[in-house]
Amino acid sequence: MTATVPAPAPGPAGTDAGRFQRDDWGSAFRNVGVELSEVPLTAARGAIPADLQGTLYRNGPGRLERGGHWVHHPFDGDGMITALRFDGGQVCLTNRFVRTEGYLAEEQAGRFLYRGVFGTQKPGGPLANAFDLRLKNIANTHVVRLGDQLLALWEAAEPHALDPDTLETRGISLLDGVLRKGDAFSAHPRFDPGHHGAPRMVTFGVKAGPRSTVRLMEFAVEDDPAAGVKAGQLLSERRDSFNGFAFLHDFAITPNWAVFLQNAIAFNPLPYVTGHKGAAQCLQSKPGGQAKFWLIPRDSGTFAGQPPRIVDAPDGFVFHHLNAWEDEAAVVVESIYYSDFPSIGPEQDFRAIDFDLLPEGLLEQCRIDLDAGTVRTTRLSERCCEFAMVNPAREGLPFRYAWMAVAERETGNDPLQAIKKLDLEQGERHVWSAAPRGFVSEPVMVPRPGASAEDDGWVLVPVWNGARCGSDLVILEAATMAEQAVLELPLAIPYGLHGSWDQA
Ligand code: CO
């Protein structure tokens, strides 16, 4: 007699025992269909801290499909801003798309009229796309407060200015004549908390080519009537040129230096020009290429006016830095390293990517000895991470704690599902996890007003909740990673990029 052993029932598509479900992850890719104004929210769990006073601004792609056509990469989606205003234990939500020229035209047409940098093509194949090199400024990467403006940032073009309260788009801003039409303006400003007195916003613009020029700019973030300075005013700038095609998404600052990492990357524009690929898909690791640290002296620092220092950097690819700081012997920078440049080819669907085939981001510390021209690298964590930050008061300075989005499992590449606090002095770590059905975007650390401890405050985490197909905002205690409150937002927001906290 033989017994028939049934084959194990297949799990839901994409299930990998113990790991996330692919459908939960993929359910975040959708269009935002509503714009809400000042909607009061209540905590689904816990209580909103009464001393959390200010506004969390988030930016990210909110429109991923038009007329049945999907963007090739979510980074090509139109910028949508969400504001969560906290006041005395109450919170209100407002969201608006940035009314860019491209967004308005495509809304009216009901289809894509522009190609996207990450490979989205207009309908009609290469013939319809060849030689159309118009950029659609999609304003989808970051959002920061500067003076009386809220700036929606996208690194390849000028910022869009919005009303900080209503989020209505005022239009492209040239920042009182600082920029010319079409100038690139980074989506990664760094906020100097007051290294030389008053706090500043430090940022840059890149003109890339066979030789690339970096324009470093420092802006006042507070009015100083005694000095005749207004918030938003340009305080200093310099331009430096370097050999090679510069691909600079982020940078880091110390009191004396602006630290750039020029990845060993090559740009072959031909498939872009001929309509086969998006511009960013034409970036490739350069075999045998040498990455470089470019250190540009800040005008407020000891080395003002001196030429930049250039030092060979380790292999690998970096989008984001955690922080940088100085001691007597070195400039130290912590960055998230990938073993290769991750890109999505023209034939691939981003919703079907295989996480196991993509390199994971790993936190590394590089100690740059400027006198010797050498770099020593130390791995700080083995867990796949992205979107790391320090307490904003430690920006550019030695620090003890970092908060970052991480994968649920200890090694290997996966979607980001948890938030980790890393203690760089003791090596201790605390993790809060949204797994198995939640997926996190960038955490923002907010210090408690008047706090003296570096880890006293909160971490605000946008979470895609796959169980209810909606977005949550989770408030964690920064010191312990204990959950303080969960807000179920009346919005389903696709995975976002960057955000910032504006203290009331
Ligand atoms: Co970024």
Side-chain angles (χ1 to χ4, degrees):
M1 198 178 137
T2 53
T4 307
V5 180
T15 299
D16 190 345
R19 282 169 78 184
F20 67 100
Q21 304 230 355
R22 225 184 151 82
D23 289 350
D24 280 340
W25 171 76
S27 63
F29 296 113
R30 55 175 62 214
N31 292 327
V32 174
V34 287
E35 293 187 314
L36 305 172
S37 299
E38 296 291 323
V39 175
L41 307 180
T42 50
R45 295 203 294 279
I48 301 161
D51 43 355
L52 184 58
Q53 300 262 94
T55 305
L56 176 70
Y57 292 110
R58 300 272 330 159
N59 197 353
R63 180 92 210 193
L64 300 176
E65 170 275 339
R66 280 190 194 280
H69 288 267
W70 283 78
V71 293
H72 185 72
H73 192 295
F75 291 178
D76 280 340
D78 293 297
M80 198 275 298
I81 311 291
T82 307
L84 288 158
R85 220 172 298 286
F86 292 82
D87 184 17
Q90 308 293 314
V91 62
C92 274
L93 177 145
T94 298
N95 77 300
R96 285 290 181 280
F97 277 91
V98 186
R99 263 57 179 176
T100 65
E101 204 185 308
Y103 171 82
L104 291 171
E106 290 184 347
E107 275 291 287
Q108 198 164 31
R111 62 191 167 92
F112 291 123
L113 301 172
Y114 289 82
R115 304 172 65 190
V117 167
F118 288 89
T120 303
Q121 304 283 46
K122 297 183 288 182
L127 273 181
N129 289 277
F131 306 109
D132 180 357
L133 308 185
R134 294 172 307 153
L135 279 182
K136 177 184 169 194
N137 182 341
I138 48 177
N140 73 357
T141 311
H142 199 351
V143 54
V144 296
R145 180 79 185 252
L146 182 65
D148 65 355
Q149 318 249 61
L150 189 66
L151 299 177
L153 302 172
W154 185 65
E155 68 193 21
E158 318 93 325
H160 280 79
L162 281 71
D163 183 297
D165 295 321
T166 64
L167 304 183
E168 298 307 329
T169 304
R170 292 173 177 162
I172 279 180
S173 172
L174 299 178
L175 304 172
D176 286 328
V178 171
L179 302 178
R180 285 173 312 178
K181 186 117 188 59
D183 274 357
F185 191 71
S186 163
H188 271 282
R190 291 280 174 176
F191 287 86
D192 163 353
H195 297 157
H196 304 283
R200 289 178 167 204
M201 182 178 98
V202 187
T203 191
F204 65 98
V206 185
K207 212 173 223 138
R211 199 168 157 76
S212 300
T213 300
V214 178
R215 182 188 187 193
L216 188 68
M217 293 165 268
E218 306 210 6
F219 294 86
V221 296
E222 291 174 354
D223 290 333
D224 180 357
V229 168
K230 280 190 80 77
Q233 187 177 325
L234 184 71
L235 298 175
S236 72
E237 66 168 316
R238 59 177 282 166
R239 283 183 169 87
D240 294 277
S241 294
F242 302 87
N243 284 329
F245 182 88
F247 177 79
L248 303 171
H249 175 65
D250 191 10
F251 79 132
I253 55 167
T254 70
N256 291 311
W257 302 100
V259 182
F260 292 87
L261 175 53
Q262 159 71 341
N263 296 293
I265 199 116
F267 180 65
N268 167 18
L270 196 63
Y272 170 54
V273 174
T274 57
H276 290 84
K277 284 185 176 183
Q281 291 174 304
C282 300
L283 291 167
Q284 262 188 344
S285 294
K286 196 164 156 183
Q290 174 64 60
K292 302 273 186 189
F293 282 115
W294 294 342
L295 284 89
I296 301 179
R298 289 182 60 193
D299 283 337
S300 46
T302 313
F303 310 104
Q306 294 187 13
R309 312 284 179 87
I310 302 177
V311 178
D312 285 355
D315 283 348
F317 192 88
V318 170
F319 289 106
H320 293 128
H321 304 288
L322 164 61
N323 199 19
W325 47 283
E326 300 169 38
D327 60 20
E328 312 74 46
V331 174
V332 182
V333 55
E334 288 89 9
S335 315
I336 298 162
Y337 267 85
Y338 295 84
S339 61
D340 198 2
F341 177 65
S343 87
I344 296 179
E347 307 304 328
Q348 270 174 298
D349 182 341
F350 71 85
R351 290 164 292 176
I353 59 165
D354 184 345
F355 285 91
D356 289 324
L357 295 182
L358 289 175
E360 69 267 41
L362 296 170
L363 190 62
E364 309 258 14
Q365 182 182 68
C366 289
R367 244 189 115 73
I368 309 167
D369 182 328
L370 286 180
D371 291 333
T374 55
V375 175
R376 202 176 73 224
T377 305
T378 312
R379 170 96 29 105
L380 298 180
S381 165
E382 294 295 336
R383 190 147 164 181
C384 173
C385 72
E386 247 304 342
F387 301 129
M389 81 176 283
V390 297
N391 180 319
R394 307 310 302 166
E395 183 86 44
L397 302 171
F399 65 99
R400 177 168 174 182
Y401 303 108
W403 292 266
M404 64 204 76
V406 295
E408 173 66 6
R409 56 178 179 151
E410 292 283 344
T411 56
N413 188 45
D414 256 348
L416 303 168
Q417 294 195 276
I419 304 296
K420 182 166 86 169
K421 175 199 183 200
L422 185 58
D423 176 345
L424 289 162
E425 248 168 52
Q426 306 282 329
E428 200 186 16
R429 49 207 64 192
H430 294 278
V431 175
W432 173 87
S433 176
R437 304 203 70 183
F439 301 84
V440 302
S441 287
E442 177 194 62
V444 173
M445 192 274 172
V446 179
R448 189 187 308 275
S452 52
E454 192 183 319
D455 60 351
D456 188 4
W458 306 275
V459 177
L460 309 184
V461 189
V463 176
W464 175 258
N465 184 331
R468 66 176 193 91
C469 279
S471 298
D472 298 338
L473 185 87
V474 177
I475 303 171
L476 305 176
E477 182 71 47
T480 60
M481 296 280 94
E483 199 174 283
Q484 293 280 287
V486 177
L487 306 172
E488 293 183 349
L489 308 186
L491 264 188
I493 311 172
Y495 301 117
L497 290 160
H498 302 294
S500 61
W501 176 254
D502 181 29
Q503 191 71 37

